[in-house]
Amino acid sequence: MSRLRTAALVVAVLLIALNLRPAVVAVSPLLAQIRVDLGIGGAVAGLITTLPVLCFGLLAPFAGRLARRIGLETALLAALLVLTAGVLVRLVPTLATLLAGSVLAGIAIAIGNTLMPVVVKRDFRHRTGVMTGAYSTMISGGGALAAAVTVPLEHATGLGWRPTLALWAVLVAAGVALWVPWVVRARRRAAAAPPGTPTAPVRGLWRSALAWQVTLVMGLQSLQFYALTAWAPTIFVDEGRSATEAGLLLSLAGVCSLVTSAITPVLAARSRTQHHLLAALIAVWVVGLLGLLFAPGALAPLWMVLIGLGQGIGISLGLTLITLRSPDAAHTSELSGMAQGIGYVLAAAGPLALGAIHDATGSWTAPIITLLVLLVPLAAAGIGAARDRHVAGRPPRPDSNGTMLTPDVRTAPLTPGGTPDPASSNGTMLTPDVTTAPFTHECGPDPERIPDDGSTRTGVRRTLRGVVRTAGGTPIPGATVTLVDDDGHQLGIAHADEAGGYELAVPPTPCLLVCAAPEHVPDARRAAPGRVDVVLAPRPAPVVGT
């Protein structure tokens, strides 16, 4: 992929990310008006902001299935179209349509939330930290933008709160316009590609303690974010500030979150563990919440700065852990669905519970104390999730040919001798000249050595990465890079991305790296951790006899 095309993809991805919060966050600064206009109480008002988050959780596990069925690009386009409908339906002046719009927005954002880490893992394999930081910054930036400009926009246009909320459809339309070319391109490539074996699903992930720890981190940090996003403006209004001032304070937190959203994934990707980031998250939130509890007046901007810094760390750390704890794109998709599915269901309880506690007690003391207490399980889960491990699903089973069906694999049939089947679609030559111990998914260890929590204690990650290209330096996207054992069984497989890049986990025992691509001569060599750029020569043209 050319630099211009890569830049266009980055812009399109970031614009999608920018649309993943305004439809929800824009409601919060207007919540006081909405309550008066519709005559609803705190619990019902909390439901308006809770429904989207609940949808994030309930529908996230299905996003991966949707992407497998209709394609990743098409699934994201469908999400943007549903988001547009959810924003516009709020124009109809009833409570039912306001709630319906919240549900549609939640459905769309659930798909986007779950699939964005998959896009990063697939298309930006060697820039995971940078791209995760960029798109999580856009997520936070979208929320900050909505919190800052929604009330001033209403006052400037004189449209009222319903049309003001509907104006956010313009931003979604821009995202649709930039994403449609990538959908068309993906469909053309899919039509031209030879048929392959469907990807084997990842199984057993829900029995992994590490997966649950990542899920709790994602859920509990999201609960803090959505609870404060929903009610912080109301807290400040109850303290005597105007709705505009309250919205600006919420926006201040969002702006500060941009800083930590950008740098947290980069710092996380450079470290074997992420405990230092977890400690920073807990520290700033404790101080910020205690400040809101005891001095919510003149020092409110300081507390919102600290809370915003924590929100940036929280969302970007939660998303980065999903990619860091996954060995491949298939596991990323499943872990993303699990973490965001259960996590956002948990987070959805935040706004609703805080509204109910406030209605029951008549003050904001008990709700803020509740948020402080919930930092304890967040810290406990984070300690486990921040360790340098990979989640491990159920070990793959061999098919009738003896080929190990690993996640994200399109296998080539093998003959008993380990040579390639002449009917193989990719011509991969699996040569059995190495000795290795049994492995599970993605070159994972023997099941007898897998810890009880389902993770793999690998210490320093042993990875092999590089670029597949021609002798002239042209990348070969889609090239198959395979690790094989002495019987020709696949221990791990990757497909080169648009830039020709690949990455594989390397087992602790010797194995062979085989690289193949249509119309090119396969290449085989010993596999070892580090960087290996593979140059494939073009396949000679057949000689036509006379």
Side-chain angles (χ1 to χ4, degrees), residues 178-247:
L178 288 185
W179 192 246
V180 165
W182 295 99
V183 177
V184 174
R185 186 170 184 268
R187 285 182 171 273
R188 288 176 178 172
R189 290 185 60 190
T197 305
T199 299
V202 176
R203 303 183 185 277
L205 197 63
W206 289 57
R207 295 193 298 271
S208 168
L210 178 57
W212 280 103
Q213 289 163 347
V214 173
T215 296
L216 287 175
V217 170
M218 190 68 193
L220 291 172
Q221 68 82 22
S222 296
L223 186 151
Q224 296 279 341
F225 173 81
Y226 286 105
L228 286 169
T229 297
W231 292 114
T234 305
I235 292 174
F236 296 129
V237 169
D238 289 351
E239 287 292 323
R241 296 179 182 270
S242 67
T244 300
E245 290 176 323

Side-chain angles (χ1 to χ4, degrees), residues 260-273:
T260 45
S261 291
I263 65 175
T264 296
V266 177
L267 296 176
R270 290 178 178 177
S271 304
R272 288 180 52 193
T273 66

Side-chain angles (χ1 to χ4, degrees), residues 327 390 460-465 502-507 528-531:
H390 277 163
V460 178
R461 291 194 193 93
R462 298 167 53 89
T463 59
L464 173 65
R465 65 182 67 186
Y502 73 91
E503 182 175 357
L504 279 170
V506 180
R531 181 179 179 88

Side-chain angles (χ1 to χ4, degrees), residues 270-371:
R270 290 178 178 177
S271 304
R272 288 180 52 193
T273 66
Q274 292 73 41
H275 294 106
H276 57 299
L277 297 172
L278 175 68
L281 170 63
I282 299 299
V284 294
W285 267 350
V286 166
V287 176
L289 289 172
L290 288 175
L292 282 184
L293 184 62
F294 294 111
L299 293 178
L302 173 60
W303 312 137
M304 294 308 290
V305 166
L306 293 175
I307 288 172
L309 292 174
Q311 288 175 344
I313 298 173
I315 181 62
S316 54
L317 181 60
L319 293 171
T320 305
L321 287 175
I322 291 173
T323 58
L324 291 180
R325 299 298 167 257
S326 301
D328 50 53
H331 279 79
T332 302
S333 178
E334 295 301 320
L335 182 58
S336 180
M338 176 181 174
Q340 300 197 53
I342 299 175
Y344 280 124
V345 169
L346 179 62
L352 194 61
L354 259 64
I357 294 173
H358 174 262
D359 287 348
T361 62
S363 75
W364 290 105
T365 300
I368 294 175
I369 291 176
T370 301
L371 293 179

Side-chain angles (χ1 to χ4, degrees), residues 19 87 166-175:
N19 277 286
V87 172
L167 286 176
W168 289 104
V170 175
L171 185 63
V172 186

Side-chain angles (χ1 to χ4, degrees), residues 467-496:
V467 174
V468 184
R469 57 182 176 84
T470 65
T474 303
I476 306 178
T480 303
V481 185
T482 313
L483 293 176
V484 296
D485 67 3
D486 55 344
D487 294 320
H489 295 163
Q490 292 179 353
L491 303 176
I493 190 168
H495 298 284

